[in-house]
Amino acid sequence: MLSQQAKILVADDDRVVRRIVTVKLSGLGYELSEAEDGREVLDRIEGGNLPDLLIVDSLMPRVDGLSLVQTLRANPDRRISSLPVIMLTSRSSEKDVIEGLEAGLDDYVTKPFSPDELAARVRTVLRRREHASGG
Ligand SMILES: [Mg+2]
């Protein structure tokens, strides 16, 4: 899999943020899809629709970013438990970042974020995962 063609699912209850992420990353050749909260992400994954990378907001209704990471990491299916996740956090969600990293979060970006920085982190996480899987 070439990382530039990776499927990325972005989950944020703020459609403006989803739009910024989608425009930036699809412009770089990634295949983007969007979800409004963590529950929608879990529904898609349980339905067999597995992205190569998740970008998740920390504060979302129903299932938030931290709960989502913890739920994914606890999944017995290794393809799901090892899904790369980058979290979008606010300054006030330091606790979520720390717990997220402990739960296996791959990286995070603090809002308001630079789309260029997010793209660089996406590249890094995908490259790291490709090396880890020997691909
Ligand atoms: Mg939010």
Side-chain angles (χ1 to χ4, degrees):
M1 175 200 68
L2 294 172
S3 56
Q4 288 290 306
Q5 295 167 328
K7 289 190 191 120
I8 299 175
L9 176 56
V10 53
D12 196 304
D13 52 320
D14 185 338
R15 69 199 299 239
V16 175
V17 173
R18 293 201 305 269
R19 215 53 226 151
I20 291 168
V21 173
T22 296
V23 167
K24 176 68 190 179
L25 296 179
S26 60
L28 294 171
Y30 298 108
E31 195 181 318
L32 269 287
S33 51
E34 301 179 19
E36 289 182 20
D37 58 44
R39 181 69 257 165
E40 201 181 322
V41 172
L42 291 172
D43 287 346
R44 288 195 199 188
I45 287 173
E46 281 157 15
N49 197 345
L50 216 61
D52 299 305
L53 174 89
L54 277 171
I55 296 172
V56 304
D57 182 26
S58 58
L59 297 172
M60 296 184 288
R62 301 202 289 173
V63 175
D64 65 19
L66 177 61
S67 306
L68 178 59
V69 172
Q70 291 169 334
T71 303
L72 293 171
R73 294 300 180 247
N75 196 291
D77 184 338
R78 215 184 154 277
R79 291 172 310 152
I80 296 173
S81 65
S82 68
L83 250 183
V85 184
I86 296 174
M87 197 187 278
L88 305 175
T89 71
S90 59
R91 286 182 178 279
S92 59
S93 52
E94 184 189 45
K95 186 171 165 287
D96 282 4
V97 170
I98 294 168
E99 288 180 30
L101 289 168
E102 281 168 357
L105 183 65
D106 293 88
D107 207 346
Y108 69 96
V109 177
T110 306
K111 287 180 181 176
F113 61 90
S114 136
D116 285 338
E117 183 188 345
L118 176 64
R121 292 185 183 276
V122 163
R123 264 194 304 277
T124 303
V125 167
L126 287 172
R127 196 165 50 221
R128 206 186 290 149
R129 288 308 176 111
E130 276 174 28
H131 290 163
S133 64

